Amino acid sequence: MQIEHRRILLISLLRIKEENRMKEFTFGIISYNQEDYILELLESIRYQIENYGKGINIYLIIADDASTDNTRKIEEAWVRENFTLFEKTVILDGRKNVGVVENYKKLLNAIKTDCFKTMAGDDVFADHNIFEFYEKCGDRSEEHTSELQSRETI
């Protein structure tokens, strides 16, 4: 009987963990004239997905602010090569330069998932698991709310 109770408890705990597991995540990028850096950022996102993103529906949104160098071409080429990593990819129209704040607002308005990470085109991820930090995205306790980037804190 005691073994059966432990088995039921274990199954219940596994179900709770699975229900609380992050199911969707968006990488959001703002960029402007970052042709020397954007590829490194995109490759670091690919690394995160391939090594830690199993079972998560991942989206990529890029808000390029009318770059005058090759940033946009690099972004488009990379997305064409790596689109299978994502549920959906979007490169927002950036025909007119609107500045960092407006570009960032445009990016935030395009993000539809609760869990997301925004970054600039010259940022890069280390090899630690970014998704592990965001696993607590659904947790609205005071302890975690200050740590997480979510719609409520932006």
Side-chain angles (χ1 to χ4, degrees):
M1 188 66 149
Q2 188 174 9
I3 293 174
E4 181 64 20
H5 279 111
R6 285 184 183 167
R7 189 177 77 74
I8 291 170
L9 180 61
L10 180 61
I11 290 170
S12 296
L13 290 172
L14 290 173
R15 282 187 184 147
I16 290 169
K17 184 175 181 180
E18 184 59 31
E19 287 172 7
N20 291 331
R21 184 164 166 30
M22 176 179 39
K23 300 201 181 352
E24 295 184 316
F25 188 89
T26 300
F27 287 100
I29 302 169
I30 58 169
S31 62
Y32 176 72
N33 287 353
Q34 292 166 320
E35 69 181 3
D36 293 337
Y37 310 102
I38 192 69
L39 188 58
E40 187 175 7
L41 168 60
L42 293 168
E43 286 297 309
S44 72
I45 289 172
R46 183 173 62 82
Y47 177 87
Q48 287 290 317
I49 295 168
E50 289 177 344
N51 289 281
Y52 308 116
K54 184 178 179 186
I56 303 170
N57 295 327
I58 301 171
Y59 301 83
L60 174 68
I61 302 174
I62 301 172
D64 185 75
D65 197 15
S67 290
T68 57
D69 64 1
N70 288 316
T71 301
R72 178 76 181 239
K73 289 178 183 175
I74 294 167
E75 292 164 345
E76 290 171 345
W78 189 89
V79 167
R80 274 193 308 275
E81 279 290 311
N82 296 280
F83 73 94
T84 59
L85 295 171
F86 304 96
E87 285 295 310
K88 184 177 181 181
T89 59
V90 177
I91 299 178
L92 300 172
D93 183 28
R95 293 182 196 159
K96 180 183 177 215
N97 184 280
V98 294
V100 175
V101 173
E102 289 302 316
N103 197 37
Y104 189 70
K105 285 168 43 178
K106 181 170 56 170
L107 174 67
L108 288 178
N109 286 331
I111 295 172
K112 304 301 180 205
T113 59
D114 288 335
C115 299
F116 59 92
K117 174 65 178 148
T118 59
M119 63 223 81
D122 59 353
D123 291 338
V124 67
F125 286 105
D127 60 357
H128 67 278
N129 183 352
I130 187 75
F131 301 112
E132 189 175 77
F133 178 74
Y134 283 90
E135 274 295 319
K136 298 173 183 170
C137 196
D139 183 352
R140 299 293 183 225
S141 68
E142 187 176 319
E143 174 185 351
H144 299 296
T145 304
S146 63
E147 298 173 9
L148 299 175
Q149 182 178 18
S150 68
R151 292 191 189 290
E152 289 81 19
T153 59
I154 294 178

